[in-house]
Amino acid sequence: MSEPKPKLLIVEDDEGLQAQLKWAYEDFEVVAATDRASAIAALRSESPAVVTLDLGLPPDPDGTSEGFAVLDEIMALKPDTKVVVASGHGARESALEAIAKGAYDFYRKPVDIEQLGLIVRRALQLHRIEEENRKLAARAGDDNKVLGRMITAAPEMVRVARTIERVANTAVSVMLLGASGTGKELLARGLHDASDRADGEFVAINCAAIPENLLESELFGHEKGAFTGAIKTTEGKIEQADGGTLFLDEVGDIPLPLQVKLLRFLQERVIERVGSRKSIPVDTRIVCATHQNLEAMITDGRFREDLYYRLAEIVVKIPSLAERPGDAALLAKAFLANYASEMNPSVKGFAPDALQAIDEWNWPGNVRELENRVKRAVIMTDGKLVGAEDLDLGDEDDEADVLNLKAAREKTDRKVIRRALSRTDGNISSTAKLLGISRPTLYDLLKQYDLQT
């Protein structure tokens, strides 16, 4: 079944030119209007992607007031419509005013059908890109969320989320292992929200960001007068999370003396504030994370083995963004939708070269780097679409050569298939078409590479 033709609304009171334009756009479903009332009625009923608008319409055929009134109403009713204004009235001034009011482009009469056709088709292409970006951003916000808040379509991350969901309502301690920027705190929050402690507090602390001499007080609290500056009794993070979850990020940075005190809490479920000998029972679940190799630190004597096994009852390894093909584009669209609404509403999506650059970049800083790049691009771009140059990614070092042909072929196949699935929102027929293979062949490859979720 062939796809329906895109709709083009021609607003033109010259019936001869109207007929000529209709004939020129055989690849469009053309709707014509001769005045403001019929133009707005057609806009409401047909929702055309593109409109060509003559400014000289009755009752002001020799001026521009009626044409600009039509443009204003189109922008108010359907601002995503691409309006190409064609007029011979005060070309330069009219062009500036039309663009300022939201027109896509301006063309001066007399009309050159071929040149106007190129402008109309470019406008249609932009409309399609923006529509695709809106749909994908919407899907990124709904269909691809796991744990209620994390966006992913990668099987590796879906498996991580399913593991966390399975252990959420148990009492086990969970350790999240992954590089900086992979979303460890987001996963910890997801675990808390999925647990029977969801009504309690979720408290997070980055152990690497607090000076060693202050970390004990931050974790366990202190009594008034316990040290210089302790002007009042203060609860620590463990106590604040009573009945809820405490997330210890970069747990490998906890100094050895403090590791002993943390171990006691995990064994006995009581704490002592700094400057006090009173034991306080606390019901806090610990979730921790690190990017360090704790097993190597145990061997070196920098991390207690008994504490490790208390913290790592369940270990969850989080893949980097580079190990999740397709997720970068999915996340980028969600970030763009969020930041564009806040900072630059004129930005509607990504240009094709930007999506390709996002797919191909290795993202050494993971999701945090991606979010920062998209945020910067939304602020800096001058157009409606973020281009590759707006992302300012630069050149990336080539990956180390893979000398085994079978391994290299499999690695490439996996990456390309996942990117295609991401581009088509997982639609098998569209993915097969994009890859230039049959559906049965694609199903075989999905099974062979274990890419089915």
Side-chain angles (χ1 to χ4, degrees):
M1 184 177 177
S2 60
E3 291 186 5
K5 293 180 179 180
K7 291 182 180 180
L8 169 67
L9 172 60
I10 296 172
V11 186
E12 172 60 62
D13 66 333
D14 183 330
E15 294 184 359
L17 180 56
Q18 191 182 100
Q20 189 179 5
L21 291 171
K22 277 186 177 182
W23 174 83
Y25 297 116
E26 292 182 343
D27 48 343
F28 285 83
E29 181 184 335
V30 179
V31 181
T34 57
D35 56 25
R36 192 201 311 189
S38 59
I40 299 306
L43 181 79
R44 291 180 182 276
S45 62
E46 304 296 335
S47 295
V50 184
V51 175
T52 61
L53 173 63
D54 178 27
L55 292 180
L57 298 174
D60 184 23
D62 296 322
T64 61
S65 62
E66 195 68 9
F68 279 128
V70 173
L71 177 60
D72 287 339
E73 287 199 47
I74 292 174
M75 290 295 99
L77 290 170
K78 295 187 181 295
D80 59 321
T81 306
K82 303 304 167 198
V83 182
V84 180
V85 173
S87 176
H89 297 278
R92 190 177 187 287
E93 294 77 12
S94 295
L96 292 173
E97 186 175 351
I99 298 301
K101 287 177 176 286
Y104 166 74
D105 208 342
F106 184 94
Y107 188 82
R108 183 172 183 174
K109 286 186 173 182
V111 171
D112 181 311
I113 298 294
E114 188 173 338
Q115 289 186 21
L116 183 57
L118 288 174
I119 295 173
V120 167
R121 288 173 177 85
R122 281 201 303 268
L124 174 64
Q125 180 64 16
L126 177 60
H127 185 275
R128 283 174 169 167
I129 291 171
E130 291 180 1
E131 183 68 20
E132 180 187 1
N133 273 305
R134 279 191 294 272
K135 288 179 180 177
L136 288 172
R139 290 200 62 175
D142 297 320
D143 293 353
N144 296 300
K145 278 191 177 178
V146 294
L147 286 174
R149 60 177 73 230
M150 176 166 277
I151 296 170
T152 185
E156 296 86 352
M157 280 303 292
V158 172
R159 282 193 285 270
V160 166
R162 298 295 173 255
T163 299
I164 287 175
E165 286 172 345
R166 279 196 290 271
V167 303
N169 277 324
T170 68
V172 298
S173 297
V174 178
M175 179 174 288
L176 305 173
L177 299 181
S180 179
T182 49
K184 296 188 288 293
E185 183 171 345
L186 198 61
L187 286 168
R189 285 183 179 274
L191 186 151
H192 171 76
D193 292 343
S195 75
D196 54 9
R197 295 172 172 266
D199 292 335
E201 291 292 321
F202 176 85
V203 179
I205 181 171
N206 187 327
C207 301
I210 299 171
E212 186 175 324
N213 62 327
L214 297 179
L215 186 55
E216 182 179 7
S217 175
E218 281 290 316
L219 284 173
F220 294 91
H222 61 262
E223 294 291 331
K224 180 180 178 181
F227 50 82
T228 303
I231 59 174
K232 64 178 181 177
T233 297
T234 303
E235 289 184 347
K237 300 296 187 185
I238 296 175
E239 206 173 339
Q240 289 173 20
D242 188 19
T245 305
L246 174 65
F247 175 56
L248 299 176
D249 197 6
E250 299 304 342
V251 71
D253 285 85
I254 295 178
L256 278 168
L258 195 51
Q259 291 178 29
V260 177
K261 194 167 182 178
L262 180 60
L263 178 62
R264 183 191 173 217
F265 162 69
L266 291 169
Q267 290 172 333
E268 302 177 14
R269 296 294 162 174
V270 296
I271 64 164
E272 289 181 5
R273 295 176 185 153
V274 177
S276 172
R277 292 185 179 276
K278 179 184 176 183
S279 294
I280 304 171
V282 180
D283 175 26
T284 296
R285 182 184 192 170
I286 300 292
V287 178
C288 64
T290 184
H291 72 281
Q292 300 185 65
N293 185 336
L294 293 185
E295 293 177 349
M297 292 178 67
I298 291 169
T299 302
D300 296 341
R302 292 180 290 129
F303 201 86
R304 293 182 63 97
E305 185 174 17
D306 47 5
L307 176 60
Y308 173 80
Y309 287 115
R310 284 284 183 177
L311 292 171
E313 291 176 310
I314 295 290
V315 176
V316 181
K317 295 182 179 179
I318 306 170
S320 66
L321 187 55
E323 295 169 323
R324 299 157 48 184
D327 267 12
L330 199 63
L331 287 161
K333 289 163 187 170
F335 290 143
L336 182 140
N338 181 41
Y339 287 120
S341 65
E342 292 179 14
M343 302 174 176
N344 192 351
S346 64
V347 176
K348 304 300 182 184
F350 290 102
D353 66 336
L355 287 175
Q356 182 177 352
I358 288 168
D359 268 344
E360 293 175 354
W361 190 248
N362 198 44
W363 299 111
N366 292 293
V367 178
R368 189 176 294 119
E369 178 191 1
L370 172 64
E371 183 175 6
N372 289 341
R373 294 284 186 181
V374 173
K375 183 178 181 180
R376 177 190 179 280
V378 167
I379 294 170
M380 299 302 294
T381 188
D382 294 323
K384 291 187 176 182
L385 296 179
V386 168
E389 70 280 359
D390 297 315
L391 294 167
D392 192 27
L393 292 175
D395 296 320
E396 188 174 43
D397 293 335
D398 292 333
E399 295 182 11
D401 293 337
V402 179
L403 298 180
N404 182 289
L405 284 175
K406 184 179 179 181
R409 189 178 299 117
E410 179 176 337
K411 181 179 179 182
T412 301
D413 284 353
R414 284 176 179 273
K415 188 175 290 188
V416 171
I417 291 169
R418 284 175 171 169
R419 286 175 178 166
L421 285 166
S422 176
R423 290 285 181 90
T424 62
D425 289 334
N427 183 287
I428 296 297
S429 297
S430 299
T431 300
K433 185 176 180 181
L434 187 63
L435 293 170
I437 57 178
S438 67
R439 285 180 59 180
T441 299
L442 177 56
Y443 277 120
D444 288 343
L445 289 170
L446 292 173
K447 184 177 180 181
Q448 177 184 343
Y449 296 135
D450 191 27
L451 294 176
Q452 293 171 306
T453 60

